[in-house]
Structure formats: C-alpha cells, structure tokens
C-alpha cells in the first residue's frame, strides 16, 4: 500500500502540492485526474524520490520511502514516462531489457532479448522493431516501447504518466486492456495519470482528482459519474464553464 | 538606485560564483568517489574512449601541425634578432610538449567533446531519460559521468602525445623546407634537447585537462535548464567553464612543475 500524508512541494513561489493525502491499496489501480499543471507528475515523482517533497510523508507498505535500501525500493517499481524517455543510444530491445541486463538479477543477453521481444509483442509491436533505434520509431511506438520497458521486469508497482497520449484509439484500447491485465493478472499496484476519460473508466479501480494542490475528490470509479462535486463534474464532462478556470 | 547597488551586485556575483565553484567541487568529489565502486559500465566506457579519443585525433592533429609550423616561423623570426636561429628545433619542441600541445589540444577537445557531452546529457535531462535511469535502479553518475571522466583522463595524455609529435613534425617541415635546416640535424637537436620531464609534464597536464573537459560537460548537462534554450545555455556554459578552467589549471600546474 502506498500512503501519502500531507505532502507539500513548491518550486520557487509556485506551490504545486499543498497537502496531498492519498491511499493506494495494494493490487489496485488508482488513476489521478486533474487539469494540466496541477502537479500530477510531481506527485508521481515524489513517490519515486525523483522529486523531494518539502514536507509530509510518503510510505510504501508502512515504510518511509526516503529511508532504507534505495535500489531494493526502486526494483519494486516500473514507470512509463510521458514522452517515453527511451535511451537514444540503445536499440529498442536494449531499452526494454535495460533492467534485465544490469544489477543483481542480471540475465544472459539472449534471454533478456527474448523477454524484451515478448514484452514488445504485448504492447503491439513486431519483433523487427527490437533492433531499431528509438529515433527510427514514431512517437506512439516510442510510447509503447516505454511501456514494454516499464513492465519488462514484472514490477510490483507500476506508474503510468499519460499512457495513451499520442496513440490512436485502437492502440489506446490495447494499452488500457494491458494495464488492466497487469493489475488483475499480475496483482500489480498501478498509479496512472491521464486526461483520457475512456482510459479512466477502462483502467481505474479508484480515481482521485488533484486540484489546487490537494486531492479534491477520491473514490471508486463506479461513483465518479454520480458525485456532485462540481470540479469533478466539470472535468469529466470537459465543460469550459465551471469552478475550474480555463485560463491557468 | 542606492549608492551601494554596484557593491551589492558585485557581492551577489561573487557569492554566485563561489556557490557554483562549491557545487562543481562537490560534484567532482562525488564522481571520483564512484570511480572505484561497482557497478562498472565497460560498454559506456569503451564508447566514451572512442568518442573522446579516436574521433578527436583529426582536430588535435591539425591544430598541432599548424601550431608547430607557425611556432617554428616565429622562433626563427624572433631568434634572428639575436642571431639565435639555431634554437628553432629545441624551442619549438619545448614549446609544443610543455605548453602548446596540452593547452591547445585541451581547448580543441573541450570545444568538441565538452559541448557534445553537455548537449547529450542536457537533452537526456529534459526528455526525462535521467529520471528513467533512476527508476531503472541505475545511478546516473555511475552510468553517465564516470565512464566519460575516466575515458577523458586516460585518453587525453595520448592525444597530447600525438599532438606533441605532430606539432614537432610541423616545425620540422617548416624548418627543413622553408628555413633551410638540415633534416637530420633538426631532429637530432630536438631529441638531444628534450628531457623526460618536459614531455611528462605535458602528459600530466593532459590528464588534468581531460578531467576538466568531461566533468564540465557532465556537470552542466545534468544541471541543464528546460527545453532547447536550456540545453543550449548548458552547452555554452560547459565549453566556457572548461576552457577557462583549462587555462587556469595550466597556469597552476606550470607554476608547480617549473618554478621550484
């Protein structure tokens, strides 16, 4: 279980997180929604330790994420970055198998390559893609390679930052199904940031809306449409008028 | 505007400079600390060796060749005022191996390599590749900084040695073909005059400059601002810092090596 308690973070005078409280139960899929620039990515990165919160606590299974063995902690995570964040100098399969080729659980190259190709297939990419370089792929393909890399080592917890942005509707459906499958079949805990309401409904067990640096609303996805919170209603229906200012 | 405003500006600039130097010093200590601790990344190290060493050979060679030739012409012209034209081989050689070989080689490699490292790592930062390394349990300092710094320290003395040889050859070409020196006598004069420490001091300087070249590239790349402008600014800062530090280090090392 991941638990965030009264987490604050500011950059200069910009107070991005202003007391975030959130619980993500084990083996569930939490989707964070909210307008652009509300700090969703900062929240995700705070859990991973890529951003250090100014105050508040973040625990994983009861242990503060800032203490303990960092390598062991990170080994439990996989992350898909918004832009893919693939390493330009490595071939696609080497990107996917990056963790498998290094560290304590290092695998022989042929085995790591085999696993990489299998993960590429799961995200809808052909084996021929394996030997290409990231710059030779389209943005959507890079995103899927990033997803393959995130799941390659079968981590317990996976973070997805805008997993379907830049993908066509069919491929978005494939990725949504894959994320759902990872949670239900592998028992992984997932935390996803997305603006795509179709993805929210397909992926989420629970939804949290981040607004004004705080969790404005959180609950099961089944209650999302029924809530009378005007912020949530405006966001999920994409209305220009409402309490959320369109100029931010 | 207050009378003290210029003083405050100077104070702020001084504090900012000291803070930057402090950050660079801490970064350097961290990098050195990681050099001897596993994991090691031999593939990245070999790639850095090729990028910094092999691909810098043409620019270092051309720089040395023309510098050696120009130096011979200048020494001949200057020496003629005192009837000391015969000093061309010895002074060209000592000028190349002690000063011009390492310094010009260092500056040329800084222009080529420091900019490349800063731009590459800066781009990695703005495209979240460095964050991705962290989430993949890979320390960016070990993976990105250590291989480049170690490769630069090892390969720069070799580049300096090659540059020294080509620079002396440039002087010899001009001396023999334009200034009327006997070929064998020119070379004999060069060999007889040079001492071990003349050459070795240049190679030590090369290693120190290699450290500066790679460190500045990695440091400024990792501290790059956002977007293309941020990467551009980081690249510019890296080359300027590396060049200034090479010249400053050259002065300090020369003082240490030759004024006792």
């Amino acid at each position: 279980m991941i638990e965030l308690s009264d987490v604050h973070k500011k950059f200069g005078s910009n107070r991005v997180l202003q007391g975030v409280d959130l619980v993500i139960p084990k083996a569930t899929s939490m989707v964070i929604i909210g307008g652009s620039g509300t700090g969703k990515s900062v929240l995700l990165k705070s859990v991973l330790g890529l951003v250090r919160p100014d105050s508040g606590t973040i625990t994983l299974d009861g242990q503060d994420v800032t203490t303990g063995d960092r390598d062991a902690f990170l080994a439990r995570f996989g992350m898909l970055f918004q832009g893919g964040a693939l390493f330009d100098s490595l071939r696609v399969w080497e990107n996917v198998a990056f963790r498998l080729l290094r560290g304590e659980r290092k695998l022989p190259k042929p085995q790591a390559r085999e696993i990489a190709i299998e993960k590429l297939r799961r995200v809808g990419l052909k084996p021929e893609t394996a030997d290409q370089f990231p710059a030779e792929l389209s943005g959507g393909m890079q995103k899927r390679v990033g997803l393959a890399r995130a799941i390659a080592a079968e981590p317990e917890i996976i973070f997805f930052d805008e997993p379907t942005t830049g993908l066509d509707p069919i491929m978005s459906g494939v990725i949504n199904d894959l994320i759902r499958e990872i949670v239900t079949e592998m028992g992984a805990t997932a935390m996803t940031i997305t603006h795509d309401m179709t993805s929210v409904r397909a992926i989420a067990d629970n939804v949290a809306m981040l607004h004004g640096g705080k969790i404005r609303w959180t609950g099961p996805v089944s209650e999302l449409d029924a809530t009378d919170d005007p912020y949530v209603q405006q966001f999920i229906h994409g209305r220009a008028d409402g309490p959320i200012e369109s100029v931010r | 505007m207050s009378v003290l405003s210029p003083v405050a500006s100077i104070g702020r600039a001084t504090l900012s400079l000291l803070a930057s130097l402090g950050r660079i010093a801490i970064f350097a200590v961290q990098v050195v600390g990681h050099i001897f601790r596993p994991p090691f990344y031999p593939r990245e190290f070999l790639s850095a060796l090729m990028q910094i060493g092999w691909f810098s050979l043409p620019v270092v060679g051309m720089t040395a060749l023309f510098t050696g030739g120009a130096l011979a012409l200048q020494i001949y012209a200057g020496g003629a005022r005192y009837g000391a034209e015969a000093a061309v081989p010895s002074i060209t050689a000592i000028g190349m191996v002690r000063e011009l070989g390492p310094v010009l080689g260092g500056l040329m490699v800084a222009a080529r390599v420091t900019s490349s490292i800063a731009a590459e790592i800066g781009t990695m930062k703005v495209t979240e590749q460095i964050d991705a390394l962290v989430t993949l349990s890979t320390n960016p300092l070990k993976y990105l900084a250590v291989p480049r710094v170690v490769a630069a320290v090892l390969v720069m003395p070799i580049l300096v040695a090659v540059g020294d040889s080509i620079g002396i050859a440039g002087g010899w070409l001009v001396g023999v073909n334009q200034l009327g020196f006997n070929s064998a006598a020119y070379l004999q004069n060069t060999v007889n005059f040079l001492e071990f420490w003349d050459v070795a001091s240049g190679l030590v300087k090369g290693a120190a400059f290699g450290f500066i070249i790679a460190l500045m590239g990695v440091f400024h790349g990792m501290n790059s601002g956002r977007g293309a402008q941020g990467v551009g600014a980081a690249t510019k800062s890296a080359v300027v810092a590396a060049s200034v530090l090479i010249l400053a280090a050259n002065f300090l090392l020369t003082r240490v090596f030759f004024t006792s």
Side-chain angles (χ1 to χ4, degrees):
Chain A
M1 185 171 76
I2 301 168
E3 196 168 355
L4 294 92
S5 179
D6 198 27
V7 174
H8 288 73
K9 178 68 190 175
K10 65 177 179 179
F11 296 97
S13 60
N14 183 17
R15 294 165 65 203
V16 179
L17 304 179
Q18 301 178 42
V20 171
D21 295 297
L22 188 64
V23 175
I24 300 141
K26 195 169 186 160
T28 63
S29 173
M30 167 68 81
V31 174
I32 315 278
I33 58 172
S36 302
T38 50
K40 300 184 296 297
S41 294
V42 173
L43 185 66
L44 219 75
K45 288 181 178 182
S46 297
V47 178
L48 284 166
L50 297 173
V51 169
R52 188 179 287 269
D54 299 326
S55 62
T57 55
I58 302 172
T59 60
L60 172 62
D61 297 337
Q63 191 179 351
D64 194 317
V65 298
T66 56
T67 60
D69 182 352
R70 181 118 180 97
D71 282 348
F73 168 76
L74 287 169
R76 300 175 68 182
F77 283 87
M79 170 138 183
L80 167 64
F81 287 84
Q82 202 168 345
L86 302 178
F87 306 124
D88 305 323
S89 58
L90 302 180
R91 292 181 189 279
V92 163
W93 81 266
E94 292 170 318
N95 266 282
V96 175
F98 192 91
R99 199 195 282 267
L100 307 174
L101 291 165
R102 292 163 182 83
E104 286 172 11
R105 291 185 297 169
K106 183 177 172 180
L107 298 176
K109 248 186 181 179
Q111 197 182 339
R113 184 182 157 89
E114 207 173 296
I115 292 171
I117 290 172
E118 165 58 17
K119 299 298 176 189
L120 287 170
R121 191 195 56 74
R122 284 193 77 179
V123 298
L125 290 169
K126 293 175 183 168
E128 299 90 271
T129 319
D131 289 316
Q132 291 183 290
F133 283 97
E136 298 173 278
L137 306 180
S138 70
M141 289 168 89
Q142 289 185 19
K143 192 98 176 191
R144 284 185 276 157
V145 175
L147 182 55
R149 184 175 68 184
I151 62 172
E154 302 191 346
E156 294 170 47
I157 306 151
I158 313 183
F159 289 176
F160 304 96
D161 193 350
E162 308 270 8
T164 55
T165 305
L167 302 181
D168 64 65
I170 296 167
M171 202 42 70
S172 294
V174 169
I175 298 305
N176 289 337
D177 290 349
L178 179 65
I179 294 174
R180 195 61 244 173
E181 192 183 309
I182 289 164
V183 175
T184 50
E185 286 182 14
M186 288 166 51
T189 306
M191 193 168 161
T192 307
I193 292 172
T194 185
H195 295 115
D196 179 354
M197 290 312 297
T198 308
S199 288
V200 175
R201 293 175 210 287
I203 295 170
D205 291 317
N206 298 299
V207 180
M209 180 169 179
L210 186 64
H211 182 79
K214 292 186 174 185
I215 298 297
R216 172 83 208 175
W217 180 87
T218 186
V221 67
S222 56
E223 294 175 12
L224 184 67
D225 291 309
T227 178
D228 55 5
D229 187 296
Y231 290 83
V232 175
Q233 286 301 317
Q234 184 190 352
F235 188 86
I236 65 175
H237 293 108
R239 296 188 194 116
D241 297 326
I244 303 173
E245 292 172 7
S246 52
V247 179
R248 279 175 261 136
Chain B
M1 194 173 80
S2 156
V3 177
L4 289 176
S5 287
V7 180
S9 297
I10 293 168
R12 269 195 299 274
T14 308
L15 286 176
S16 171
L17 177 68
L18 290 174
S20 295
L21 287 174
R23 279 196 296 272
I24 289 171
I26 291 168
F27 186 77
V29 170
Q30 286 175 337
V31 170
V32 172
H34 282 297
I35 287 175
F36 305 101
R37 282 181 284 159
F40 304 111
Y41 297 101
R43 184 177 147 163
E44 281 65 35
F45 171 69
L46 290 175
S47 168
L49 271 185
M50 288 299 286
Q51 289 296 328
I52 300 169
W54 181 251
F55 294 124
S56 293
L57 273 174
V59 70
V60 169
M62 294 299 278
T63 305
L65 183 71
F66 291 121
T67 303
L71 192 60
L73 289 173
Q74 289 285 15
I75 294 166
Y76 186 83
R81 297 177 194 172
Y82 307 99
E85 297 93 329
V88 169
S90 51
I91 298 183
T92 301
I94 206 164
M96 281 307 302
V97 300
R98 278 190 181 190
E99 282 297 317
L100 295 174
V103 173
L104 290 181
L107 291 174
M108 294 308 288
V109 177
R112 204 189 83 80
V113 171
T114 306
S115 56
S116 154
I117 293 175
E120 183 184 357
I121 295 181
T123 306
M124 288 184 76
K125 191 189 174 198
V126 299
T127 56
E128 296 185 304
Q129 290 178 52
I130 292 183
D131 283 346
L133 276 177
V134 176
T135 64
L136 292 164
S137 305
T138 302
N139 187 326
L141 276 185
K142 281 192 187 299
Y143 187 76
L144 298 173
V146 169
R148 287 168 172 81
V149 169
V150 174
V153 168
L154 293 179
V155 89
M156 267 306 288
I158 298 170
L159 284 174
V160 167
V162 171
D164 289 349
S165 309
I166 295 175
I168 290 170
W172 169 81
L173 276 172
V174 170
V176 171
N177 294 308
Q178 200 173 334
L179 305 177
F181 281 86
N182 174 275
S183 172
Y186 189 105
L187 292 175
Q188 191 61 51
N189 200 340
T190 301
V191 171
N192 289 345
F193 189 76
L194 282 181
E195 293 177 0
F196 170 77
W197 187 236
D198 294 328
V199 178
S201 66
L203 304 185
V204 173
K205 282 181 179 181
F209 299 164
F211 183 76
I212 291 168
I213 285 165
L215 191 79
M216 287 300 96
V218 177
F219 176 80
H220 285 92
M222 282 189 165
N223 289 286
S224 165
R226 289 182 177 189
Q229 207 169 21
V231 176
T235 306
K236 180 183 69 182
S237 302
V239 175
V240 170
S243 304
V244 172
L245 285 176
I246 283 172
L247 295 171
N250 180 57
F251 170 73
L252 288 174
L253 290 172
T254 303
R255 195 171 155 75
V256 169
F257 292 156
F258 298 108
T259 58
S260 56

